[in-house]
Amino acid sequence: MSFSDNLKKFLMKNGAAEAGFAEISNFTPKKELNTGIVFYMTYPKEIISNMKNAPTQEYVDELVSLNSRLDELGMKCEEYLIENGYKAYAQTKKRLGTDFGENNGFELPHKTIATRAGLGWIGKSALFITSKYGSALRLSSVLTNASLEIGNPTLKSKCGKCMECKDACLGGAISGKEWNYKLKRNDFYDDKKCEKYALEISYENLGKADTVCGKCIFACPHTQKYIKRL
């Protein structure tokens, strides 16, 4: 079994639903760390199935829990790589959470690595989407100098003419334009409109203003297939 296989097995044994590897030398924020390791964990079906009037407190609690577990797995992955003689840097929320720029993003997003690893694509909602889980997932990543078996990059959207997330977004953040790897997020999605509506609907639903919503997650047909799958 190759080191790539062993690493993926390690990640999935420790909670990842899926993992992949990408070549990131053209845009790595860390010199010499030219390989991206990306992995995700999924929201439980029962939490997402109750998200028609999103957000819910259960969703918010699970979001916090997933972030914590992803950070823990990122650090375990970093340690695993270092123990095997490689350099590594886990892009944990704890490390990057205060480094968001004016567009509410950091230098190398997890979903950029995920598309380059071929695990899925970016939806019209600007969320990462897979055929199996829709957007009912959260990502994390680790940068390394290990030579791994990289995936085939996904360079364009698979959303087609679907507008379910756009129709569900009452804040008007989603333009309906399809993503491709050449676009910047704000070319097809308005994070400020999303944030404004999220603050309003979270206060209405939860009694506390927060930047959480989730309506687009629930609306995605791929998410619906996931929560209805036996």
Side-chain angles (χ1 to χ4, degrees), residues 71-141:
D71 273 10
E72 289 177 9
L73 183 53
M75 293 309 299
K76 285 182 180 179
C77 181
E78 180 182 289
E79 292 167 8
Y80 182 90
L81 287 158
I82 291 171
E83 287 173 359
N84 280 275
Y86 300 104
K87 296 179 181 179
Y89 177 79
Q91 294 205 119
T92 63
K93 186 171 179 62
K94 186 175 181 180
R95 283 175 173 168
L96 301 175
T98 58
D99 294 335
F100 280 65
E102 63 176 295
N103 294 322
N104 291 327
F106 48 86
E107 192 169 359
L108 178 53
H110 309 309
K111 59 188 174 184
T112 298
I113 302 174
T115 59
R116 294 306 173 101
L119 297 187
W121 68 96
I122 307 300
K124 293 173 183 177
S125 61
L127 294 176
F128 181 72
I129 296 176
T130 72
S131 297
K132 188 174 183 180
Y133 299 107
S135 51
L137 57 88
R138 292 193 70 79
L139 295 153
S140 191
S141 60

Side-chain angles (χ1 to χ4, degrees), residues 45-77:
K45 293 180 182 180
E46 59 271 20
I47 289 177
I48 300 301
S49 64
N50 293 324
M51 287 275 285
K52 189 172 184 178
N53 187 37
T56 64
Q57 188 59 53
E58 291 78 13
Y59 166 69
V60 175
D61 291 344
E62 184 63 18
L63 184 155
V64 173
S65 176
L66 282 173
N67 284 342
S68 177
R69 284 179 277 154
L70 284 164
D71 273 10
E72 289 177 9
L73 183 53
M75 293 309 299
K76 285 182 180 179
C77 181

Side-chain angles (χ1 to χ4, degrees), residues 119-169:
L119 297 187
W121 68 96
I122 307 300
K124 293 173 183 177
S125 61
L127 294 176
F128 181 72
I129 296 176
T130 72
S131 297
K132 188 174 183 180
Y133 299 107
S135 51
L137 57 88
R138 292 193 70 79
L139 295 153
S140 191
S141 60
V142 177
L143 313 181
T144 184
N145 65 341
S147 179
L148 300 170
E149 297 167 14
I150 63 173
N152 295 316
T154 303
L155 302 179
K156 61 181 181 179
S157 170
K158 297 182 181 180
C159 292
K161 296 180 180 180
C162 179
M163 292 288 178
E164 293 296 328
C165 65
K166 181 180 186 297
D167 294 341
C169 180

